[in-house]
């Protein structure tokens, strides 16, 4: 299913469902359009928000890697200043070279703004048929976002032998666990399962689980359990209904969240939000840049739009988010 700028049906539905009376105080949002189809789908989101009379002002910045003399990668200072000022951002897909060049821009952004928790809801979409449409999927991946195998610590031991370090700290583990349990409480989620491989990585995953257990003790209302990652992969494709909120370290969350996106129809439908220190939050589309579609103007903005709706709810603009979502779902249901 594709929702494009040319989809006048969606824009007219949004305009019809929303009235100017919903507008409240204005919010300034930092926008990183990204690469490939990023600028196109970002423009679609802006058009839809404008049609919906959403009270936002966009502060747009180009983001690209800057390699410093010490070998570290950063993004342009105006983009950094904008996020620290506004505390809220929306980000399109960004291109990263594979196996060479600069550190991933996504990783650089997470480190720059201390985005310790990645939230990836996966919910079946009416009109998008999958093998799971009948019973429905409704779960949330809660991924630690700053360390683990993605800490970027790797080196050559001797020629032909490379070592990559999996970094797990109590503080980062505690941060994402606390956010996960608070999220579950705030969103009426009944249970949390922590995914791990502590049977093999006893110290690293063991530390992560230890912090999860400590936080779980503070929330007796939430059912807490633990499960091996590989076992969870098998069980969720057999019966997604047995999962609610799933909490896990970085690499596991990256892989598992793509799996759950596949259950609902793909990354083009999957929203994502990154929660950071000092109240900073950046929402993003997690699919790729789809460079082959750029010249064809066929970029699908659904994932970025749904991420934008997560952002609106974060800003307590729930009426606008609910109305836009209703229009999107109606459009998808009609397969337009």
């Amino acid at each position: 299913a594709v929702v494009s700028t040319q989809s006048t049906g969606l824009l007219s539905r949004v305009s019809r469902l929303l009235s100017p009376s919903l507008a409240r105080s204005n919010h300034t949002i930092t926008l990183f359009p990204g690469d490939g189809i990023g600028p196109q789908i970002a423009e679609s989101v802006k058009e839809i928000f404008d049609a919906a009379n959403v009270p936002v002002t966009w502060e747009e910045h180009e983001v690209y890697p800057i390699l410093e003399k010490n070998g570290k990668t950063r993004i342009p200072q105006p983009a950094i200043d904008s996020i620290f000022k506004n505390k809220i951002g929306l980000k399109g897909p960004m291109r990263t070279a594979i196996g060479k060049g600069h550190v991933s821009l996504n990783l650089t952004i997470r480190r720059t703004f201390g985005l310790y928790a990645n939230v990836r809801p996966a919910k079946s979409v009416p009109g998008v048929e999958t093998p799971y449409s009948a019973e429905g999927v409704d779960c949330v991946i809660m991924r630690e976002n700053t360390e683990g195998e993605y800490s970027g610590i790797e080196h050559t031991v001797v020629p032909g032998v490379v070592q990559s370090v999996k970094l797990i700290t109590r503080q980062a583990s505690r941060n994402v666990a606390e956010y996960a349990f608070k999220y579950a409480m705030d969103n009426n989620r009944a249970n949390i399962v922590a995914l791990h491989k502590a049977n093999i990585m006893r110290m690293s995953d063991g530390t992560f689980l230890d912090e999860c257990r400590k936080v779980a003790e503070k929330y007796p209302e939430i059912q807490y359990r633990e499960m091996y990652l590989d076992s969870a992969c098998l069980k969720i494709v057999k019966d997604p209904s047995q999962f609610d909120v799933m909490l896990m370290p970085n690499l596991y969350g990256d892989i598992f969240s793509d799996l759950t996106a596949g259950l609902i129809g793909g990354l083009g439908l999957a929203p994502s939000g990154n929660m950071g220190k000092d109240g900073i939050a950046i929402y993003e589309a997690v699919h790729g840049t789809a460079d082959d579609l750029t010249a064809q103007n066929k970029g699908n903005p659904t994932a970025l739009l749904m991420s934008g709706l997560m952002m609106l709810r974060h800003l307590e603009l729930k009426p606008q988010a609910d109305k836009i979502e209703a229009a999107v779902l109606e459009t998808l249901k009609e397969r337009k």
Side-chain angles (χ1 to χ4, degrees):
V2 174
V3 182
S4 69
T5 307
Q6 289 73 33
S7 180
T8 56
L10 174 58
L11 290 173
S12 63
R13 284 191 181 96
V14 168
S15 298
R16 185 176 69 248
L17 286 169
L18 287 166
S19 65
S21 62
L22 283 175
R24 294 189 178 89
S25 59
N26 194 72
H27 298 269
T28 302
I29 297 171
T30 301
L31 177 63
F32 298 157
D35 304 313
I37 63 170
Q40 293 176 12
I41 61 177
E43 192 61 33
S44 295
V45 171
K46 289 165 65 177
E47 286 190 26
I48 292 167
F49 277 29
D50 183 60
N53 196 36
V54 178
V56 299
T57 297
W58 301 100
E59 197 171 279
E60 193 167 323
H61 290 275
E62 183 181 0
V63 173
Y64 50 87
I66 298 173
L67 189 62
E68 298 184 312
K69 292 181 179 180
N70 59 8
K72 294 184 178 181
T73 302
R74 66 175 179 87
I75 63 175
Q77 193 61 44
I80 296 174
D81 294 340
S82 180
I83 289 289
F84 278 124
K85 174 173 66 76
N86 298 327
K87 304 290 186 183
I88 189 80
L90 185 65
K91 182 179 85 63
M94 294 183 177
R95 192 179 298 111
T96 298
I98 299 175
K100 59 181 180 180
H102 61 82
V103 173
S104 160
L105 278 174
N106 292 321
L107 181 57
T108 301
I109 288 171
R110 291 172 200 150
R111 289 175 175 173
T112 301
F113 303 111
L115 303 174
Y116 60 84
N118 177 237
V119 185
R120 291 274 298 272
K123 187 173 182 178
S124 295
V125 179
V128 180
E129 295 299 320
T130 75
Y132 303 92
S133 295
E135 61 269 32
V137 177
D138 185 6
C139 59
V140 179
I141 306 302
M142 200 68 63
R143 163 191 172 190
E144 198 290 316
N145 215 20
T146 63
E147 52 181 31
E149 291 87 347
Y150 289 179
S151 58
I153 306 172
E154 55 182 9
H155 59 273
T156 299
V157 181
V158 295
V161 179
V162 176
Q163 184 178 58
S164 181
V165 176
K166 175 175 179 173
L167 178 69
I168 297 287
T169 66
R170 289 194 176 275
Q171 185 62 60
S173 301
R174 188 181 313 120
N175 287 346
V176 71
E178 288 177 344
Y179 186 86
F181 277 90
K182 185 178 184 304
Y183 178 95
M185 290 291 293
D186 292 345
N187 292 274
N188 299 313
R189 296 280 178 172
N191 64 79
I192 290 179
V193 56
L195 305 188
H196 67 96
K197 288 296 292 181
N199 56 326
I200 305 298
M201 287 166 278
R202 300 177 185 274
M203 295 182 69
S204 55
D205 282 19
T207 296
F208 180 81
L209 287 182
D210 188 46
E211 292 303 316
C212 291
R213 292 165 186 163
K214 290 176 182 177
V215 175
E217 291 176 358
K218 304 176 186 177
Y219 293 87
E221 309 93 334
I222 304 295
Q223 180 186 355
Y224 172 74
R225 58 197 173 113
E226 298 167 0
M227 188 179 296
Y228 292 138
L229 174 69
D230 45 354
S231 178
C233 290
L234 171 64
K235 290 182 178 181
I236 198 167
V237 297
K238 292 179 67 177
D239 179 16
S241 67
Q242 62 186 298
F243 293 95
D244 196 350
V245 176
M246 288 161 281
L247 171 61
M248 62 202 81
N250 202 341
L251 175 63
Y252 305 162
D254 190 13
I255 297 170
F256 204 86
S257 57
D258 278 12
L259 170 61
T260 55
L263 302 182
I264 66 169
L267 291 174
L269 298 167
S272 174
N274 302 282
M275 308 300 123
K277 60 185 181 180
D278 302 323
I280 289 175
I282 299 179
Y283 296 83
E284 64 178 338
V286 293
H287 55 68
T289 56
D291 297 295
D292 56 319
L293 297 178
T294 303
Q296 304 176 46
N297 196 30
K298 291 183 178 179
N300 184 345
T302 304
L304 187 62
L305 179 57
M306 299 302 272
S307 299
L309 300 187
M310 286 179 68
M311 177 185 71
L312 293 186
R313 293 184 173 108
H314 175 80
L315 293 172
E316 300 184 353
L317 295 173
K318 188 176 184 298
Q320 288 90 339
D322 290 348
K323 297 292 187 179
I324 295 173
E325 184 175 51
V328 172
L329 295 180
E330 186 179 346
T331 302
L332 290 172
K333 193 173 182 179
E334 294 179 2
R335 300 177 181 273
K336 290 189 175 180

